[in-house]
Amino acid sequence: CWRKALDYYIKEAQEEGVFWEDVAKIYERLGEVEKSKEAWIKYAEYCEREAENDPAWWKHVAEAYEKLGMKDKAEEARKKYEEYKKSS
């Protein structure tokens, strides 16, 4: 069941990067840690590109880097998101 979902979301993610988060979560459920990590990285990169046009995405960048254990990058993104919230 999860494999079918994974196949679907990988195809979706290749077209629309926001689905890399779903791919990462499915890999986590399947216990495939390295593949999950790769998907989280792709999701973080997608979110960073989106944040260039819409700063609200910095929240998602922070969450993705947090999942990856990249605390410095997560904190940097969180600060950008907080700055955005204050200015809006």
Side-chain angles (χ1 to χ4, degrees), residues 15-73:
E15 291 179 26
E16 182 62 45
V18 71
F19 291 103
W20 285 116
E21 179 182 23
D22 298 303
V23 171
K25 289 178 179 179
I26 293 170
Y27 275 131
E28 285 175 357
R29 283 184 174 266
L30 295 171
E32 296 187 37
V33 178
E34 279 307 307
K35 288 185 178 181
S36 174
K37 187 176 179 177
E38 290 170 17
W40 278 117
I41 289 169
K42 288 179 181 180
Y43 178 64
E45 291 169 348
Y46 170 80
C47 291
E48 282 190 61
R49 288 191 301 274
E50 290 297 311
E52 290 173 15
N53 297 319
D54 180 358
W57 279 87
W58 285 115
K59 178 180 180 183
H60 302 289
V61 174
E63 291 167 351
Y65 282 128
E66 212 166 74
K67 285 292 271 184
L68 289 163
M70 302 171 88
K71 296 188 188 301
D72 291 341
K73 283 194 160 210

Side-chain angles (χ1 to χ4, degrees), residues 1-17:
C1 177
W2 285 112
R3 286 282 169 201
K4 280 188 177 184
L6 181 63
D7 291 341
Y8 170 79
Y9 280 109
I10 286 174
K11 288 176 189 165
E12 291 296 313
Q14 289 168 342
E15 291 179 26
E16 182 62 45

